[in-house]
Amino acid sequence: SSPPPPTSPPPPLGGCPLSPPLGEMEKVSVGTTGWVGLNSRDYSRRYDVVEFNWTFHERDESTEQFRHVAADLKDLRLQAVLKVSGLATHEHRLRSPEQWWPGLWAKYSELHR
């Protein structure tokens, strides 16, 4: 015997039943990890978001360094995605976030202002 007919419509393109239909999406951001060999100005002409992996390895970057990066991103009209510090994921294994998150957020939040 054949299976019963579906009782709900198929998911929208993209396969996720929770995602809006393609015509209703506001914006899709596209970028790469790092500058992929381009200078930041040329990169910003092609993409609108960049992922930074250096944030995984950093331990001593100051809030001022993040403030400088934020100013550059704003000038370039780029958004950033950060890889969370290995301090959180590898050293603390995401345990006891009250010990490491406030310090990381103090830096990371500079990019959100």
Side-chain angles (χ1 to χ4, degrees):
S1 84
S2 61
T7 57
S8 62
L13 290 177
C16 177
L18 300 177
S19 57
L22 290 177
E24 294 178 21
M25 293 178 122
E26 289 183 29
K27 180 179 178 182
V28 175
S29 293
V30 176
T32 65
T33 299
W35 304 118
V36 294
L38 299 170
N39 68 50
S40 58
R41 215 32 88 205
D42 288 340
Y43 182 93
S44 70
R45 288 186 190 110
R46 297 177 187 198
Y47 304 105
D48 57 359
V49 67
V50 63
E51 178 188 10
F52 291 132
N53 282 331
W54 59 266
T55 53
F56 175 81
H57 302 286
E58 71 85 20
R59 296 293 191 275
D60 301 318
E61 296 295 331
S62 68
T63 301
E64 184 59 37
Q65 170 64 23
F66 281 83
R67 208 173 285 135
H68 174 75
V69 170
D72 288 346
L73 291 171
K74 185 175 182 179
D75 182 49
L76 295 166
R77 297 178 180 208
L78 285 172
Q79 295 179 19
V81 174
L82 305 181
K83 187 171 185 177
V84 74
S85 173
L87 173 76
T89 59
H90 287 62
E91 291 177 34
H92 289 281
R93 299 186 180 267
L94 299 177
R95 294 184 184 110
S96 304
E98 67 281 357
Q99 294 177 9
W100 47 265
W101 183 245
L104 292 177
W105 181 247
K107 297 185 252 185
Y108 297 169
S109 65
E110 291 297 326
L111 300 176
H112 184 63
R113 294 174 194 251

